[in-house]
Amino acid sequence: MRHVLSVIVENKSGVLARVAGLFSRRGFNIDSLAVGTTEKPEFSRITLVVTGEDLVIEQITKQLYKLIDTYKVTDLTAAKHIEREMILVKVSINANNRSEVIEIVDIFRGKIIDVSDKNMTVEITGDYEKNEGFLSLLKKFGIIEIVRTGTVAIQRGTGN
């Protein structure tokens, strides 16, 4: 199962390396990682997307709390939350399929940011399901390259 973890850590050098090292030592794979300063400059939020059974995620959470720099770990998967990821995708086009690709981009409220005779680069932002749906529709045209920012997420309502 896909899990989105929000990890609040001290904002200082080496913390990300310790978190990544923990995952590496334990053999846990990170599907997505995004880091940024929080509303309090002394803390950073690491948003991790990991795949695993609930027991594995519980183990990851316990290991994260053992790191001295970790302040709080929240598995947002079970909570109401908002998540977004930006993707840049370069897709093959030709005179016959160009309008079909543009139509798909419009439906998903993407943004065409570069066009040539043979390819088109599109920016799309959305949650996991939207982005994966978009990419699956573009697959038949030939995806040349994908660049992803990594998922960021925030709990809905008053939770933090």
Side-chain angles (χ1 to χ4, degrees):
M1 180 178 176
R2 180 178 180 271
H3 288 262
V4 178
L5 301 178
S6 176
V7 183
I8 305 295
V9 295
E10 290 185 39
N11 183 13
K12 62 183 187 182
S13 64
V15 173
L16 181 60
R18 284 190 279 283
V19 170
L22 180 152
F23 277 78
S24 175
R25 284 190 307 277
R26 302 289 178 178
F28 302 137
N29 187 41
I30 299 171
D31 296 328
S32 169
L33 183 144
V35 183
T37 306
T38 67
E39 67 283 359
K40 297 176 183 172
E42 65 270 22
F43 294 109
S44 291
R45 179 184 311 270
I46 301 174
T47 305
L48 297 157
V49 178
V50 295
T51 303
E53 299 298 322
D54 291 345
L55 194 61
V56 171
I57 302 306
E58 184 180 326
Q59 186 180 6
I60 290 171
T61 300
K62 286 179 181 173
Q63 294 297 319
L64 285 168
Y65 272 119
K66 287 184 179 178
L67 297 176
I68 194 159
D69 308 305
T70 301
Y71 178 71
K72 184 176 182 182
V73 181
T74 306
D75 184 353
L76 294 173
T77 309
K80 290 184 179 181
H81 69 282
I82 301 164
E83 65 178 77
R84 293 291 182 268
E85 179 181 38
M86 187 186 82
I87 298 176
L88 298 177
V89 56
K90 190 181 298 179
V91 60
S92 293
I93 58 168
N94 57 45
N96 297 326
N97 66 18
R98 180 187 318 257
S99 61
E100 188 177 356
V101 171
I102 291 172
E103 191 173 314
I104 292 170
V105 171
D106 287 342
I107 290 169
F108 280 84
R109 289 184 261 160
K111 185 176 177 184
I112 298 168
I113 55 175
D114 189 42
V115 178
S116 72
D117 291 343
K118 296 182 179 178
N119 63 64
M120 179 183 299
T121 302
V122 178
E123 172 189 326
I124 186 162
T125 302
D127 63 19
Y128 177 77
E129 287 79 19
K130 175 187 173 184
N131 289 345
E132 290 303 311
F134 178 72
L135 293 175
S136 74
L137 288 176
L138 289 186
K139 195 177 281 185
K140 69 180 179 184
F141 302 104
I143 293 175
I144 300 167
E145 189 174 4
I146 298 174
V147 180
R148 305 176 88 127
T149 60
T151 298
V152 293
I154 191 167
Q155 192 167 355
R156 284 183 178 265
T158 56
N160 59 11

